[in-house]
Amino acid sequence: MSVNTERYETAAARYFEAWNATEPEALRKAVAAAWAADGSYTDPLADVRGHEGVAAVIAAAHEQFPGLVFRPLGTVDGHHDTARFGWELVNEADGSAPVAGFDVVTLDGEGRIRQVLGFLDRVPAGA
């Protein structure tokens, strides 16, 4: 495994740790570990910058889909300072995944996220 591959996988692991944090303090710490201070998150439903904005989007997702967990879907791929990976939001009780998507992230020199461009591939009606 190359150093770059490890860099992308580490960034993705931190990303999923943040998305799965449900307690406010754990969420704050996980977002700070994953994102650069001025990092951004953009998908069809959100466009925010900074740790507070990112944490608010994550908290809103947990309110909308309580008890579901974000999981990687496939492998992390990357080059230069850019990585991409799929994900799904899974109900651990029955294994269903009502939401799925694909994210492209740009990393800073320390391996933290500068930008996320998210795409939603599967969203339940009315969400």
Side-chain angles (χ1 to χ4, degrees):
M1 182 178 295
S2 75
V3 172
N4 283 341
T5 300
E6 290 176 18
R7 179 176 183 229
Y8 307 134
E9 290 177 354
T10 297
R14 287 185 190 143
Y15 178 87
F16 285 106
E17 184 176 339
W19 275 96
N20 286 317
T22 56
E23 297 300 318
E25 183 63 18
L27 175 56
R28 185 189 66 73
K29 287 181 180 180
V31 167
W35 267 266
D38 64 343
S40 65
Y41 178 87
T42 303
D43 71 14
L45 306 174
D47 185 13
V48 297
R49 180 171 298 281
H51 291 168
E52 287 184 22
V54 172
V57 167
I58 292 170
H62 285 287
E63 285 179 23
Q64 185 173 7
F65 299 101
L68 275 66
V69 178
F70 285 87
R71 296 279 166 84
L73 188 58
T75 59
V76 179
D77 184 27
H79 62 81
H80 297 85
D81 290 330
T82 305
R84 64 180 181 163
F85 49 85
W87 54 267
E88 58 186 358
L89 190 56
V90 179
N91 180 329
E92 292 186 302
D94 66 12
S96 64
V99 183
F102 193 89
D103 290 346
V104 177
V105 301
T106 304
L107 305 176
D108 68 10
E110 297 176 5
R112 295 198 349 231
I113 297 168
R114 286 189 318 197
Q115 179 183 44
V116 175
L117 297 175
F119 297 85
L120 301 175
D121 298 325
R122 181 173 59 241
V123 178

